Amino acid sequence: MSNEQAVARFSNPAPLGLAGFALTTWLLSMINAGWFTGDAMNMVLAVAMAYGGTAQIIAGIMELPRGNTFGTTAFVSYGAFWWSFALFVLFLHDKVPGAFVGWYLFMWGVFTFYMWLGTLRAARALQLIFLALWITFFLLAAGEWTGMAGLHTAGGYVGLLTALLAFYLSAAEIINDGHKRVVLPVGAPS
C-alpha cells in the first residue's frame, strides 16, 4: 500500500484541532477583552482541558500517520499550551511574578511566529490565524510586562479575531469536504 493510500484511510483531524483551539481561544479572549470578569475563568479552564487541550493533542497525534509535521507540531503544542494554562491558573497563578508570565506569553509568541513563517506557502486562512495569534501573544506579554490594561484588552480583541479565523477554517474544511467542492474559500496556497 502506498503512503497516499494509507493517508487516505485517515480522516482529516485539522477541523477538530482548529475547533478546539477556536472555542477555547474565544472564551479566554472574551475575558481578556473585558467582556467578562475572571469569574468566568472556570468555564475556560474546563474547556481548555477537555477541548482546547485534549482534542488538539488527539488531532496532532492523528496528523502523524498523515506525515503532517506542521499539523502534529501545531496541534500537540497548542493542546499542551491549554493544559499548561489550566494548570497554571488552577495551581500556580499566585506563585509566579507577572513579569515571568509575560515571558511565558512572549515565548509562545516566538513559537507562533516561526509557525506562522511555516504557513507562508499554505492557505491564506491558515496564514491569518497564525499571524493574528502571534500578535495576540505579543500584546498579552507586553500587557504583563508594562501593566498597561489597554495592551491586555487589545490582546483579547486580537484573540477574538484569531478564534473567528480558526472557526472559519474548521468550518470550511468540514463543509468543503462534505460538499466535495469549495463552498467556503480558504485562499490558495502561495
Side-chain angles (χ1 to χ4, degrees), residues 22 26-27 30 33 58 60 97 113 116 145 161 171 184-185 189:
W26 180 267
L27 294 175
M30 287 194 301
I58 291 168
F113 178 77
W116 171 67
W145 287 331
L161 174 63
L184 296 175

Side-chain angles (χ1 to χ4, degrees), residues 88 92-101:
F88 167 74
L92 306 168
H93 71 280
D94 58 344
K95 297 174 179 69
V96 179
F100 203 76
V101 174

Side-chain angles (χ1 to χ4, degrees), residues 10-96:
F10 296 100
S11 64
N12 178 6
L16 168 65
L18 287 163
F21 170 79
L23 179 63
T24 315
T25 300
W26 180 267
L27 294 175
L28 179 59
S29 295
M30 287 194 301
I31 295 172
N32 288 336
W35 294 5
F36 291 90
T37 67
D39 294 340
M41 186 61 74
N42 286 335
M43 180 57 72
V44 175
L45 298 178
V47 174
M49 289 185 281
Y51 200 38
T54 303
Q56 277 193 94
I57 291 171
I58 291 168
I61 292 168
M62 290 174 64
E63 291 284 10
L64 285 169
R66 298 170 60 86
N68 185 351
T69 301
F70 182 91
T72 298
T73 303
F75 289 133
V76 172
S77 295
Y78 293 112
F81 164 81
W82 285 117
W83 270 99
S84 72
F85 175 79
L87 292 169
F88 167 74
V89 172
L90 286 170
F91 302 112
L92 306 168
H93 71 280
D94 58 344
K95 297 174 179 69
V96 179

Side-chain angles (χ1 to χ4, degrees), residues 21 70 73-74 77-78 81 104-119 126-138 162:
F21 170 79
F70 182 91
T73 303
S77 295
Y78 293 112
F81 164 81
Y104 167 80
L105 295 166
F106 179 79
M107 294 312 298
W108 275 105
V110 169
F111 170 74
T112 303
F113 178 77
Y114 76 73
M115 292 298 285
W116 171 67
L117 293 175
T119 69
L126 189 62
Q127 292 174 28
L128 291 172
I129 292 166
F130 279 85
L131 174 64
L133 183 58
W134 72 257
I135 292 169
T136 300
F137 277 125
F138 288 150
T162 304

